[in-house]
Amino acid sequence: MKKILLAALMATLSACGTVQQPVNTNSASTSPMKFPCLSYSLSCGEIPVRKPVKKPLSGELSGNSEEGRNIAFTKTRGNCLACHRMKGGTQPGSRGPDLTSYGNLGRSDAETFALVYDMRWRSPDTLMPPMGTNEILTEQEIRDVVAFLQSSK
Amino acid sequence: MLSLSSSLRNRGRIMKILTLIAVTALHAISYPALAETDFNTHPRFDIDPKLGVAGDFSGTYKYWKDTQAIEQFASIQTNSDNEWKMNGKNMDIVEDDFHPGHLAVDEGEKLVNLWEHREAGFKSCLGAGTTTLEGIAANYPMYDAKLGKVLTLEARIEHCAKKVLWQNFKQGSPVNASIALYLKSLSDGLPIQIDVDSGPMKEAYLRGETLFYKRIGQLNFACASCHTPGSIMGNRLRGEVPSTPFGDVSHYPTYRSPVGEVEVLHKRFMRCLKQMRAKPLKPGDPAYVDLEVFYTSMSNGYPIKAPSIR
C-alpha cells in the first residue's frame, strides 16, 4: 500500500517537476526568493529547507585546482575562507577545521565531494552551507574545489 | 474568475503538501538516522526572558555590563581574538559630543517641534496620550490596545505622522530615523523595560524567538548560526566576529560611521539577511517587529545609549 502511494506521489510529482532541483549554471545568479525567508506573507516564508543529499561523484574528479582555489577564496562564490584556514589564503575565518593540508588526510575524492556538496548527511546541525544542494556552487565548481583541497599538502 | 483562481491556488497548496510528504518519505527511506533532525531550525537555547540582559548566554556580560566593567576590561579590546567579548559597548563610553548622531538628534527635535507647531497633537500622539516624551522609548515595542497591535517606536512615528500630519514618515526613512533617535535620546541612560510575560507581547516574543532559530537563505543559516554559543559567535568570519545578541537593542538607532548614516535596527537586520543570502524584508515588516520584541527582551535592564556610534 505504502509503495503504491509513494509511486503515485512520485508520478504526480515528476509530472509537474517539483522535486527536480533546477540545474545551476552560474553560482552567482541565484535568487534569494528560492530559499526560505522570515516573511509571513511572501512565498519564500513557506519554503522548507532543502533536504540533505548525499551526492555520489560520477566518473573521474576532473577538477581544476587553480580554479578551485579561486572559487574557495572569492566571497561571492565558495567563500570557504570565511570559516577555514586554507593553503595560500589570507585573513581566514576560524570556525571550521583547518584545511591547509587536507590533501594529507587521504580522504577519497568521492567523500570530499559529497561533504562539500552537502555536509548535513554527516553532521545534521553543521554550520557549513550545503554548497551543492543550495546551488551555491555548481557540480563542476565543487569538483574544482575538491581538486584544490586534495592538492593542499 | 474568482473561483478559478482560488481553485488554482488550492491545487498549488495540495501540490505543496504532496511534495512535502513525498520528499519526507524519500528522505526517511534513504537516511533513517537523520529522521530525528529538524533541518528547518538551528538547535535552540534556553533563554529565560525574565532575566533580560543578565540572561546573556555568551559569558561576556561581565565585560560590558556597565561603564565600570567596560573600563576595567578595556584591555581585551586590544586583542583581536577577544575584542568581540566587549559586544561593541566600548564604543558607548568614548566621549564624543560631535559625531553626526548628535546632529540627527537635533534634526529629530526640530522636526517634532516644527510639526507640533503646525499640527497640535503630534506630540501627544507620539506619547500615546502624554506630551512628556522623556522616558517613553524605554518601553518600546509595546502593545497598543487601541490599535490592537504591537508597535515599535518607528511604527508609532509612522502612525502619528499619517494620522495627525497626513504625512508619510516611512519606517527606515531618514525623517523617521531622526525622530526615533531623538525620542531615544530622551531616554538616554534609562534601562530598557518591556513586558513579554503575557498577551500579544508574549506571542510576539515567541514568534520572534522562532524566527531567530529559523534556517533561511541560500547559505542555510539562522540568526542563531552566528549569534549563539557554539555557533560562529566569537569566531572570525574573515574580517568580522559576530557577538552576543544580548544588549544589542540599547544603542539603536545608531550612527554608522562607515556609511555615514543613522541605521535603525531593522536596517541592521537587513544587512545580516543579505550576508545570509536570504530575502531582506522592508523596515517595519511584521516579522521584524516580532524579532525586535525578542531582541528587546534580551536587552531588558540595560541602559539606553542614544545617540551612539558604531
Side-chain angles (χ1 to χ4, degrees):
Chain A
M1 179 60 208
K2 252 190 201 158
K3 257 186 203 158
I4 296 170
L5 188 66
L6 191 68
L9 279 172
M10 288 297 293
T12 349
L13 286 169
S14 47
C16 62
T18 34
V19 268
Q20 259 138 30
Q21 276 164 14
V23 179
N24 183 17
T25 45
N26 177 353
S27 57
S29 69
T30 315
S31 159
M33 283 300 282
K34 284 168 54 182
F35 299 94
C37 71
L38 297 180
S39 174
Y40 298 134
S41 51
L42 299 174
S43 59
C44 55
E46 297 197 26
I47 301 176
V49 164
R50 295 181 186 181
K51 297 291 173 193
V53 175
K54 188 173 179 180
K55 182 83 171 175
L57 176 65
S58 53
E60 293 291 298
L61 178 64
S62 58
N64 176 335
S65 69
E66 264 308 296
E67 184 55 20
R69 179 172 54 192
N70 190 9
I71 292 162
F73 291 4
T74 308
K75 275 194 189 171
T76 52
R77 302 181 82 188
N79 199 19
C80 318
L81 257 193
C83 295
H84 295 284
R85 289 179 176 281
M86 296 186 110
K87 194 171 179 209
T90 50
Q91 265 220 331
S94 51
R95 182 58 183 81
D98 188 338
L99 302 176
T100 39
S101 45
Y102 186 85
N104 291 332
L105 295 179
R107 296 270 180 78
S108 70
D109 290 346
E111 186 189 2
T112 310
F113 177 83
L115 288 174
V116 178
Y117 195 92
D118 194 335
M119 181 68 61
R120 295 173 300 164
W121 62 265
R122 194 186 80 181
S123 322
D125 289 325
T126 188
L127 292 161
M128 181 160 146
M131 301 292 169
T133 305
N134 276 13
E135 303 171 65
I136 299 158
L137 298 177
T138 62
E139 202 178 308
Q140 183 56 48
E141 286 172 321
I142 296 176
R143 287 170 184 266
D144 295 341
V145 167
V146 171
F148 168 57
L149 286 175
Q150 297 290 36
S151 74
S152 301
K153 294 185 178 177
Chain B
M1 194 57 211
L2 197 76
S3 70
L4 179 69
S5 72
S6 86
S7 82
L8 274 178
R9 204 180 312 131
N10 274 337
R11 211 183 125 215
R13 204 167 286 157
I14 292 165
M15 285 314 301
K16 216 187 272 176
I17 294 167
L18 287 180
T19 315
L20 273 176
I21 297 172
V23 173
T24 316
L26 281 175
H27 167 64
I29 290 163
S30 35
Y31 311 113
L34 300 183
E36 297 294 298
T37 307
D38 179 358
F39 290 97
N40 290 293
T41 61
H42 186 278
R44 287 207 179 206
F45 281 80
D46 277 337
I47 295 177
D48 181 355
K50 289 202 173 53
L51 296 175
V53 68
D56 169 51
F57 51 33
S58 72
T60 65
Y61 180 51
K62 56 177 179 278
Y63 300 116
W64 49 268
K65 66 178 184 172
D66 52 31
T67 310
Q68 228 183 332
I70 297 169
E71 277 164 359
Q72 185 188 342
F73 293 105
S75 64
I76 72 171
Q77 300 157 40
T78 55
N79 176 328
S80 65
D81 284 342
N82 284 330
E83 196 186 356
W84 70 277
K85 294 180 181 168
M86 208 35 108
N87 197 15
K89 299 299 184 188
N90 47 313
M91 302 289 284
D92 287 344
I93 63 164
V94 179
E95 291 291 335
D96 180 359
D97 293 342
F98 300 102
H99 71 73
H102 292 273
L103 298 179
V105 170
D106 294 348
E107 179 66 21
E109 180 174 17
K110 259 189 237 145
L111 283 164
V112 169
N113 289 331
L114 179 87
W115 283 105
E116 173 67 17
H117 187 70
R118 284 197 208 162
E119 298 283 352
F122 186 46
K123 273 191 184 176
S124 73
C125 180
L126 290 175
T130 161
T131 48
T132 320
L133 301 178
E134 280 77 14
I136 62 162
N139 302 322
Y140 276 89
M142 62 157 69
Y143 178 68
D144 185 307
K146 257 194 238 154
L147 298 174
K149 61 177 181 177
V150 173
L151 289 188
T152 63
L153 186 60
E154 284 93 336
R156 169 76 68 199
I157 295 165
E158 183 175 282
H159 163 77
C160 292
K162 212 166 272 164
K163 191 176 148 222
V164 183
L165 314 174
W166 302 87
Q167 296 291 319
N168 189 10
F169 292 178
K170 249 172 66 169
Q171 294 179 60
S173 68
V175 176
N176 189 305
S178 352
I179 296 177
L181 182 53
Y182 164 58
L183 295 179
K184 238 169 141 207
S185 77
L186 296 178
S187 294
D188 185 43
L190 291 177
I192 289 173
Q193 209 47 259
I194 65 159
D195 184 352
V196 296
D197 274 357
S198 59
M201 284 293 282
K202 181 177 183 177
E203 288 160 23
Y205 173 92
L206 292 173
R207 284 192 305 267
E209 184 182 36
T210 301
L211 293 179
F212 183 79
Y213 293 104
K214 184 181 182 189
R215 286 189 183 274
I216 54 170
Q218 190 178 25
L219 300 182
N220 202 36
F221 290 138
C223 308
S225 303
C226 287
H227 295 297
T228 59
S231 71
I232 299 171
M233 184 179 79
N235 285 283
R236 250 167 302 122
L237 253 182
R238 300 193 115 165
E240 276 194 309
V241 182
S243 66
T244 181
F246 284 83
D248 278 357
V249 166
S250 72
H251 58 268
Y252 276 89
T254 191
Y255 176 74
R256 231 174 88 70
S257 58
V259 277
E261 65 177 29
V262 173
E263 180 180 74
V264 295
L265 187 64
H266 295 188
K267 287 251 175 111
R268 174 72 239 201
F269 290 168
M270 286 170 81
R271 264 203 293 141
C272 284
L273 288 169
K274 278 182 195 151
Q275 274 193 40
M276 299 159 86
R277 300 199 199 161
K279 174 81 184 157
L281 312 173
K282 293 198 185 78
D285 188 280
Y288 285 168
V289 174
D290 292 341
L291 258 184
E292 179 167 345
V293 170
F294 177 63
Y295 259 78
T296 308
S297 152
M298 291 189 284
S299 289
N300 253 349
Y302 201 76
I304 286 176
K305 173 66 186 174
S308 67
I309 183 165
R310 286 293 183 273

